[in-house]
Amino acid sequence: MCSMTLSSFHVESSSSDGKPSASQFRALGAAARNAFFKYDTPRLVSVHSVSVGLLNRVVQISIIAYVVGFALIYEKGYQQTDTLESTVTTKVKGLVVASGSGHEWISRVWDTADYVVPPLENGAFFVTTNAVVTPNQQHGTCPESPIIANGKCLNHTECPVDVPVISGNGIRTGICNNLTSTCDIFGWCPTEVDILPEEPVLKGTENLTVLVKNYIVFPRFHTKRQSISLTANSSRYFATCLYHPETDPLCPVFRLGDIVSFSGERYEELVHLGAIIGIIIEWNCNLDYDIALCLPKYTFRRIDDRLDETSKGWNFRYADYWTDAAGEERRTLMKVYGIRFVFYVSGQAGKFSIVPFLTNIGAGLALLHVVTFFCDFFLLHVVKFKQQYSDHKFETVSGYPTVKTTDSVTIAADLAMK
């Protein structure tokens, strides 16, 4: 390096009154002027050394391999990218027979309108597999359910009037029912008996199928895709095809039992208490190629914790209301268990753009300057004749640039390491 350095100067002591002297001001001014009007320029030093040359080429090749192989090719650094916007609609089909557990009205054929509750969800759908049914409820007075701990009593004083039963089915009437040892309540009667049947109410739900329609758009590239149009445009195909990751990975029709199996779970273990299964759809598209190659990839996993004993599975309640011949409002209370299938759609598209391409090339060229740092550090601190290199590397020129110096210096010795 050639550089212009500060000249040494002598600072006189301050005057007797403590104020800086004139010579001190001049010295400070000269120092500031020299610091401001300073310029460093690189000096070429050619070093003929096997060890230094090998280090130079190894670092160069490593940087070039990283920029070209990883940043440009593997990470597609030459492309501009965009994330997708998506929506999913579903259509579940199939019939199942329900076992009524003593209720003849429930022993019937259930179709989509019966077991898909609610009928429409945003990015998900629910299929009923088990249920606790309390039919023909109406407003009135009846004993609280024996399984409700807060509703038990021994005398009337334990049933204060108009006080709700915690986690119960109504408000207390002030009477302790001697037959059930529970408080009489006012609410929907008879009360729900929340005891799961030994066998699932709905059998055969694993054979139900769902048609998944996934619509995506990459706004930056004005590109739209949909999963249902990726296969033959034939209603006969959709009526017969069934998704399989190896034999038919693009079919948008899925068997529920297969979805659970692909997630690593057993369907028969989930139907009693329910579960949450994630359906992951990935779209990773290279728009430099044919748009027909932009295809979805499906994966599946269980979302809820199978080891959670506090609130295991998935369930909720809903009711069907009607008015009987006497004009009384009645309802059938349903506590349903089942599998909730949730969709997660992600992905991105990439397309060649000159801006990211030149940006990565420029970053790679700038990174090549690291070679100089490694080699200079090696020559200045590692090799045996580091002082010889330092003497040729750095030179100070003071005053006006009238001193002549050689443009380059060649060190022909093979510098050995310590």
Side-chain angles (χ1 to χ4, degrees), residues 364-390:
L365 294 176
L367 200 58
L368 285 174
H369 287 284
V370 175
V371 178
T372 303
F373 169 79
F374 278 108
C375 292
D376 281 351
F377 182 87
F378 185 77
L379 286 167
L380 291 173
H381 300 282
V382 178
V383 298
K384 183 177 181 180
F385 301 105
K386 53 182 176 289
Q387 186 60 46
Q388 180 184 358
Y389 174 75
S390 179

Side-chain angles (χ1 to χ4, degrees), residues 301-320:
R301 66 171 60 98
R302 182 172 181 175
I303 304 300
D304 65 311
D305 187 0
R306 65 169 65 90
L307 302 178
D308 182 11
E309 297 297 336
T310 304
S311 180
K312 193 172 185 178
W314 181 265
N315 67 81
F316 59 92
R317 289 177 174 86
Y318 71 95
D320 292 328

Side-chain angles (χ1 to χ4, degrees), residues 294-363:
C294 181
L295 305 173
K297 180 181 179 181
Y298 301 93
T299 53
F300 313 90
R301 66 171 60 98
R302 182 172 181 175
I303 304 300
D304 65 311
D305 187 0
R306 65 169 65 90
L307 302 178
D308 182 11
E309 297 297 336
T310 304
S311 180
K312 193 172 185 178
W314 181 265
N315 67 81
F316 59 92
R317 289 177 174 86
Y318 71 95
D320 292 328
Y321 296 87
W322 77 93
T323 303
D324 62 16
E328 296 289 337
E329 184 182 33
R330 293 180 178 271
R331 76 175 188 180
T332 295
L333 179 64
M334 304 281 294
K335 181 180 181 181
V336 294
Y337 298 77
I339 303 176
R340 187 168 188 258
F341 298 89
V342 184
F343 293 95
Y344 300 90
V345 184
S346 63
Q348 67 175 14
K351 193 172 185 179
F352 176 81
S353 176
I354 193 64
V355 174
F357 176 72
L358 293 181
T359 300
N360 280 282
I361 292 295

Side-chain angles (χ1 to χ4, degrees), residues 58-335:
V58 168
V59 177
Q60 281 182 338
I61 292 173
S62 300
I63 293 175
I64 293 173
Y66 167 78
V67 173
V68 177
F70 181 78
L72 286 178
I73 297 178
Y74 182 78
E75 290 291 331
K76 296 182 175 61
Y78 55 88
Q79 288 186 334
Q80 186 180 36
T81 61
D82 189 21
T83 56
L84 58 79
E85 297 175 1
S86 169
T87 185
V88 178
T89 63
T90 61
K91 184 179 292 185
V92 183
K93 289 188 176 183
L95 301 172
V96 293
V97 177
S99 174
S101 299
H103 303 299
E104 295 183 358
W105 69 272
I106 203 175
S107 299
R108 55 183 171 84
V109 174
W110 286 40
D111 60 15
T112 304
D114 298 314
Y115 54 72
V116 177
V117 183
L120 181 62
E121 286 191 76
N122 185 22
F125 68 96
F126 173 83
V127 174
T128 304
T129 59
N130 203 2
V132 175
V133 183
T134 309
N136 297 322
Q137 285 185 317
Q138 65 179 117
H139 271 111
T141 301
C142 58
E144 179 57 276
S145 173
I147 67 174
I148 304 298
N150 189 247
K152 295 180 179 180
C153 63
L154 296 176
N155 53 64
H156 297 324
T157 60
E158 295 180 339
C159 301
V161 179
D162 293 337
V163 176
V165 179
I166 299 175
S167 300
N169 297 284
I171 59 175
R172 295 179 176 92
T173 62
I175 299 175
C176 180
N177 192 302
N178 295 326
L179 296 178
T180 60
S181 296
T182 61
C183 297
D184 280 352
I185 62 167
F186 180 78
W188 287 100
C189 297
T191 59
E192 177 189 59
V193 180
D194 190 7
I195 300 176
L196 273 174
E198 295 182 359
E199 294 294 331
V201 172
L202 277 70
K203 297 182 179 180
T205 54
E206 67 272 14
N207 295 318
L208 301 177
T209 60
V210 56
L211 173 63
V212 177
K213 301 179 182 179
N214 181 207
Y215 303 89
I216 66 165
V217 58
F218 296 106
R220 176 175 292 175
F221 303 125
H222 306 287
T223 300
K224 296 181 179 180
R225 295 291 284 161
Q226 53 181 323
S227 60
I228 200 169
S229 65
L230 300 176
T231 54
N233 187 18
S234 171
S235 58
R236 179 181 300 177
Y237 173 77
F238 293 120
T240 57
C241 82
L242 201 60
Y243 171 85
H244 190 277
E246 297 179 358
T247 59
D248 203 347
L250 298 180
C251 177
V253 180
F254 301 81
R255 179 178 171 271
L256 300 190
D258 292 339
I259 294 177
V260 173
S261 177
F262 295 146
S263 70
E265 301 291 332
R266 298 181 60 186
Y267 197 91
E268 57 270 19
E269 295 179 356
L270 305 185
V271 293
H272 285 82
L273 296 177
I276 304 175
I277 301 294
I279 302 176
I280 298 92
I281 308 176
E282 293 181 284
W283 296 81
N284 293 312
C285 303
N286 189 341
L287 299 184
D288 291 329
Y289 298 101
D290 190 347
I291 188 64
L293 299 177
C294 181
L295 305 173
K297 180 181 179 181
Y298 301 93
T299 53
F300 313 90
R301 66 171 60 98
R302 182 172 181 175
I303 304 300
D304 65 311
D305 187 0
R306 65 169 65 90
L307 302 178
D308 182 11
E309 297 297 336
T310 304
S311 180
K312 193 172 185 178
W314 181 265
N315 67 81
F316 59 92
R317 289 177 174 86
Y318 71 95
D320 292 328
Y321 296 87
W322 77 93
T323 303
D324 62 16
E328 296 289 337
E329 184 182 33
R330 293 180 178 271
R331 76 175 188 180
T332 295
L333 179 64
M334 304 281 294
K335 181 180 181 181

